[in-house]
Amino acid sequence: MAAEAPPPSAEEHKLPTPEEFTEVQESAEFGELRRSYRSFAFPVTVGFIVWYLLYVLLSNYAGGFMGTKLFGNINVALVFGVLQFVTTFLIAWWYSRHAATNLDPKAEAIKTRMEGGA
C-alpha cells in the first residue's frame, strides 16, 4: 500500500508585500544567494559554450583531424560528439549538487523568513 501524502497545512502563510520583496532583494543574504548562483552558472555556461563551439568549428574546419580513426570505425568526431552529451549530463549533476548544498538552504531560509516562519 502506498503511503499517502500528509494533508495540507491548515496554517495560512502570510503573503509578503512588495516592499518586503524589495527589502529582501536588497539584503546581503539575497546578494550572497545571487553571488553563489552566478559564480557557478556563468563560468560553467561559458565553458560549455566554448567547448561546444570548439566541437562545431573543428567539425567544419578540421575535417582531417576529426576524421582521424582512433580504433575500428571510431573517429575523433564521434568521441567528441559523445563527450558533448557526457558533459551535459555531468554539468546537470554538478549543478544539482551545487544547488542542494549552496543555493537551496539559503533560498529556503529567505522564503521561510518572508512567509513569517522566522
Side-chain angles (χ1 to χ4, degrees):
M1 182 169 157
E4 292 184 23
S9 174
E11 177 182 323
E12 288 292 319
H13 292 287
K14 155 184 106 63
L15 293 176
T17 65
E19 293 79 21
E20 289 172 322
F21 275 109
T22 302
E23 180 182 324
V24 167
Q25 184 180 8
E26 294 170 353
S27 71
E29 185 180 22
F30 187 76
E32 178 57 33
L33 175 62
R34 287 175 49 183
R35 269 188 299 285
S36 294
Y37 170 74
R38 288 177 177 176
S39 69
F40 181 90
F42 289 164
V44 171
T45 301
V46 169
F48 184 78
I49 289 172
V50 167
W51 162 232
Y52 176 74
L53 289 176
L54 174 68
Y55 174 65
V56 170
L57 291 173
L58 286 174
S59 295
N60 283 322
Y61 300 110
F65 169 71
M66 294 297 271
T68 303
K69 291 196 182 235
L70 299 175
F71 49 89
N73 287 329
I74 308 299
N75 62 17
V76 174
L78 180 62
V79 171
F80 278 17
V82 169
L83 285 175
Q84 290 290 317
F85 288 100
V86 171
T87 306
T88 300
F89 288 110
L90 284 175
I91 289 171
W93 170 78
W94 189 19
Y95 176 75
S96 69
R97 286 186 46 150
H98 172 74
T101 58
N102 298 320
L103 304 178
D104 293 348
K106 293 174 186 176
E108 187 62 33
I110 291 170
K111 178 185 170 211
T112 301
R113 192 177 64 252
M114 286 192 74
E115 290 177 345

